[in-house]
């Protein structure tokens, strides 16, 4: 396996400082699969090239493989491992250029901190998805991508192309970023790893993807393939990525269908659980979950036009809720189960809302909301309009009273059905705001999300209602607690299965004397 890294930076030999490998020496590094060597085919003032050559020891590799390995038995001896770049090369790169990947270089830190002209060559790269996939993955990262499919046999062009490409990357990229791009994307393109995937793979992915993965348009495919389609690992990775920045949660789209021709690979999730749920956060209580997390979006729908701009469903929900609050003239609003504070942020941006409060059972969620809202830098007048506090939706709390409106946005479905009457009593019976807005998924619409495979949209959902079931619940609440309600769709109202989200706007009837 061969990887070359070249630069035309002047003096080009400074590449040796950045890689922490001297151009005048050949260095060897023992790997579990063989020996990695770093050498410089050229090292001049105008151009310098460093090469990483991984020589596979087939006996050592065979002895390290178990019977459950995909290349067990004959496949241990008849395979492409000695020649084609794969997770073996990615692991060697991580070991050999460990310091360079961190971006540290005491003698040339200014160079390590900024982009430099780089050319990267990989003569044989397995690419399940073809040359187009290489363009999709490297192009958004600032690379000019040259990916040429390798024919099965040049002498028989009618046989077509193999699954290998010759990859050439050019661009002005920070060296540490370039190495991390390769570390993550080599096994993603191959769609395989040579070792057992454990929980620490999530940490490796988040560290290597810092600064670029969360914003990548194919982050779903990258994460899923890097983690071997292990459902639990993928879910944890997206939760971690969502915490990296205030705006990342909204941009984490569920992965779309694999590229044409990709081989199906089974995962280790239960058959009745949804694929690639992106926002399950370990340790969250049911009340912590919010609709401002990326659990269902219009982009999931089959048949959408390629490249067509779509507004995420969580954005549509939030806009619909704010519009209703303005419509009913609410001045004071209580966001129940406020999560990380996206609705609170939208409400604080409108001075028409004189008081905005957020309650959540999770102290961690409230800390995230505090960070998102930047309360430490918030003007005093704006800060005076905001209140955050911890509490439960199923226990009477005097702090919930006195608001014009309360919002339960994508919250009720996270509550166990036997506890729903307690929630109803607390919100509609005790707090009794003039208006209550409730949004929840429409389970009938789930057939439009192929990746759900008939399951619920989020693994923590205790239930998901059809339109008729939601209407019955709403009617029961109105009859019991003296409210009238208006049912409204949120998102595209499919003529067959209805909208993705259903909303109820409750208005308190006048109290009788």
């Amino acid at each position: 396996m061969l990887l070359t890294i070249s630069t035309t930076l002047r003096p080009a030999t400074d590449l040796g400082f950045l890689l922490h490998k001297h151009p005048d020496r050949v260095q060897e590094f023992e790997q579990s699969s063989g020996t990695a060597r770093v050498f410089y085919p050229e090292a001049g003032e105008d151009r310098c090239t460093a090469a990483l050559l991984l020589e596979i020891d087939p006996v050592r590799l065979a002895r390290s493989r178990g019977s459950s390995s995909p290349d067990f038995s004959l496949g241990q001896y008849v395979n492409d491992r000695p020649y084609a770049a794969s997770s073996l090369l990615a692991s060697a790169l991580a070991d050999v250029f460990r310091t360079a990947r961190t971006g540290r270089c005491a003698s040339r830190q200014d160079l390590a901190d900024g982009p430099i002209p780089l050319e990267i060559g990989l003569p044989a790269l397995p690419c399940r998805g073809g040359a187009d996939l290489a363009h999709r993955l490297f192009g958004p990262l600032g690379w000019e991508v040259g990916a040429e499919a390798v024919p099965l046999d040049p002498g028989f062009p009618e046989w077509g192309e193999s699954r290998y490409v010759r990859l050439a990357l050019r661009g002005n990229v920070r060296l540490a970023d370039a190495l991390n791009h390769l570390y993550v994307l080599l096994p993603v393109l191959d769609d395989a790893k040579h070792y057992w995937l454990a929980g620490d793979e999530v940490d490796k992915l988040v560290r290597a993807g810092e600064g670029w993965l969360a914003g990548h348009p194919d982050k779903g495919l990258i994460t899923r393939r890097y983690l071997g389609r292990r459902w639990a690992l993928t879910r944890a990775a997206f939760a971690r990525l969502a915490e990296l920045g205030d705006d990342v949660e909204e941009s984490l789209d569920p992965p779309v269908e694999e590229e044409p021709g990709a081989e199906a690979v089974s995962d280790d999730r239960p058959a009745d659980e949804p694929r690639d749920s992106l926002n399950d956060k370990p340790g969250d209580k049911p009340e912590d979950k919010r609709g401002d997390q990326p659990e269902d979006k219009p982009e999931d729908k089959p048949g959408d036009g390629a490249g067509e701009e779509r507004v995420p469903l969580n954005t549509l929900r939030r806009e619909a809720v704010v519009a209703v609050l303005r419509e009913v003239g609410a001045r004071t609003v209580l966001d129940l189960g406020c999560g990380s504070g996206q609705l609170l942020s939208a409400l604080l941006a409108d001075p028409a809302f004189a008081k905005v409060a957020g309650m959540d059972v999770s102290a961690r969620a409230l800390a995230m909301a505090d960070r998102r809202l930047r309360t430490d830098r918030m003007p005093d007048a704006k800060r005076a309009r905001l209140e955050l506090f911890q509490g439960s939706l199923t226990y009477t709390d005097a702090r919930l009273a006195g608001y014009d409106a309360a919002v339960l946005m994508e919250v009720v479905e996270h509550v166990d059905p036997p506890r729903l009457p307690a929630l109803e009593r607390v919100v509609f019976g005790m707090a009794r705001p003039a208006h209550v807005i409730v949004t929840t998924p429409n389970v009938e619409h789930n057939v439009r999300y192929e990746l759900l495979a008939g399951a619920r949209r989020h693994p923590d959902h205790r239930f998901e209602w059809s339109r008729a079931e939601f209407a019955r619940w709403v009617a029961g609440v109105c009859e019991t607690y003296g409210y009238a309600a208006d049912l409204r769709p949120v998102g595209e109202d499919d003529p067959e299965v209805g909208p993705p989200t259903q909303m109820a706007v409750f208005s308190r009837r006048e109290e009788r004397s």
Side-chain angles (χ1 to χ4, degrees), residues 89-106:
L89 183 61
S91 294
L93 178 150
D95 177 50
V96 172
F97 299 132
R98 182 184 298 112
T99 305
R101 286 180 59 219
T102 67
R104 298 197 307 268
C105 182

Side-chain angles (χ1 to χ4, degrees), residues 112-413:
D113 289 339
I116 62 172
L118 288 174
E119 298 176 16
I120 291 174
L122 288 156
L125 175 64
C127 193
R128 298 178 189 270
D132 288 344
L133 183 60
H135 283 273
R136 278 174 53 189
L137 298 191
F138 284 103
L141 301 176
W143 293 105
E144 177 186 335
V145 183
E148 178 187 356
V150 177
L152 282 171
D153 191 322
F156 298 91
E158 65 274 14
W159 290 1
E161 298 172 348
S162 70
R163 69 183 186 96
Y164 303 94
V165 299
R166 297 184 184 92
L167 184 67
L169 305 175
R170 293 179 178 83
N172 285 301
V173 180
R174 193 172 74 111
L175 180 63
D177 292 336
L179 294 174
N180 284 314
H181 295 166
L182 293 169
Y183 174 71
V184 172
L185 296 181
L186 290 184
V188 168
L189 290 168
D190 189 13
D191 201 11
K193 283 201 171 182
H194 68 282
Y195 55 86
W196 175 258
L197 295 172
D200 63 349
E201 289 299 297
V202 175
D203 294 329
K204 295 177 185 178
L205 176 62
V206 172
R207 283 197 301 268
E210 183 178 1
W212 62 272
L213 179 55
H216 197 290
D218 275 307
K219 55 191 162 285
L221 183 146
I222 293 170
T223 303
R224 200 154 47 109
R225 281 191 170 199
Y226 182 88
L227 296 172
R229 291 181 172 81
R230 301 301 195 269
W231 176 67
L233 296 181
T234 302
R235 197 177 63 183
F238 272 104
R240 292 275 300 277
L241 289 171
E243 296 171 13
L244 293 180
D246 289 336
D247 300 321
V248 172
E249 286 178 313
E250 291 190 7
S251 65
L252 288 177
D253 302 342
V256 297
E257 279 189 61
E258 282 290 305
E259 61 284 347
E263 297 181 15
V265 179
S266 63
D267 55 25
D268 60 351
R269 66 178 178 86
D272 59 345
E273 293 185 10
R275 294 181 182 271
D276 301 310
S277 178
L278 306 186
N279 61 318
D280 187 34
K281 298 182 180 180
D284 278 358
K285 301 289 194 305
E287 295 88 348
D288 301 347
K289 308 295 181 181
R290 284 307 309 265
D292 56 12
Q293 297 173 346
E295 63 190 33
D296 47 7
K297 298 182 181 179
E299 291 91 333
D300 303 346
K301 294 185 180 181
D304 282 346
E308 182 181 352
E309 285 296 324
R310 292 282 181 170
V311 179
L313 180 56
N314 53 9
T315 300
L316 294 176
R317 272 195 298 258
R318 190 165 60 253
E319 291 174 348
V321 168
V322 173
V324 170
L325 291 171
R326 291 176 181 144
E327 175 188 321
V328 301
R331 295 275 295 162
T332 59
V333 181
L334 174 61
D335 184 7
L336 295 168
C338 64
S340 61
Q342 292 189 1
L343 177 60
L344 295 175
S345 179
L347 296 175
L348 286 171
D350 188 341
F353 300 109
K355 182 179 180 182
V356 176
M359 186 194 82
D360 204 287
V361 72
S362 167
R364 175 172 167 271
L366 292 171
M368 291 176 65
D370 185 79
R371 187 182 72 234
R372 172 188 293 279
L373 299 170
R374 297 180 172 89
T375 57
D376 57 333
R377 288 176 279 171
M378 190 178 287
D380 292 342
K382 190 174 183 179
R383 183 67 183 87
R385 295 164 51 210
L386 173 67
E387 182 179 3
L388 296 173
F389 58 92
Q390 188 174 12
S392 172
L393 288 169
T394 55
Y395 293 94
T396 302
D397 191 331
R399 295 173 297 177
L400 307 186
Y403 290 89
D404 295 337
V407 177
L408 291 158
M409 191 168 73
E410 307 299 287
V411 169
V412 294
E413 64 273 10

Side-chain angles (χ1 to χ4, degrees), residues 431-498:
R432 290 193 64 74
H435 303 279
V436 180
I437 303 171
V438 177
T439 73
T440 192
N442 167 24
V443 71
E444 297 169 79
H445 196 91
N446 287 2
V447 296
R448 297 293 187 253
Y449 302 105
E450 294 184 6
L451 293 174
L452 289 178
R456 295 170 184 165
R457 298 188 196 178
H458 191 287
D460 187 63
H461 284 183
R462 296 336 196 223
F463 59 87
E464 288 177 359
W465 279 322
S466 67
R467 288 168 290 175
E469 290 169 330
F470 184 51
R472 283 196 296 271
W473 178 78
V474 169
V477 169
C478 290
E479 181 179 357
T480 303
Y481 295 103
Y483 279 79
D486 178 21
L487 298 179
R488 306 183 184 185
V490 178
E492 182 181 352
D493 197 353
D494 190 296
E496 295 180 4
V497 297

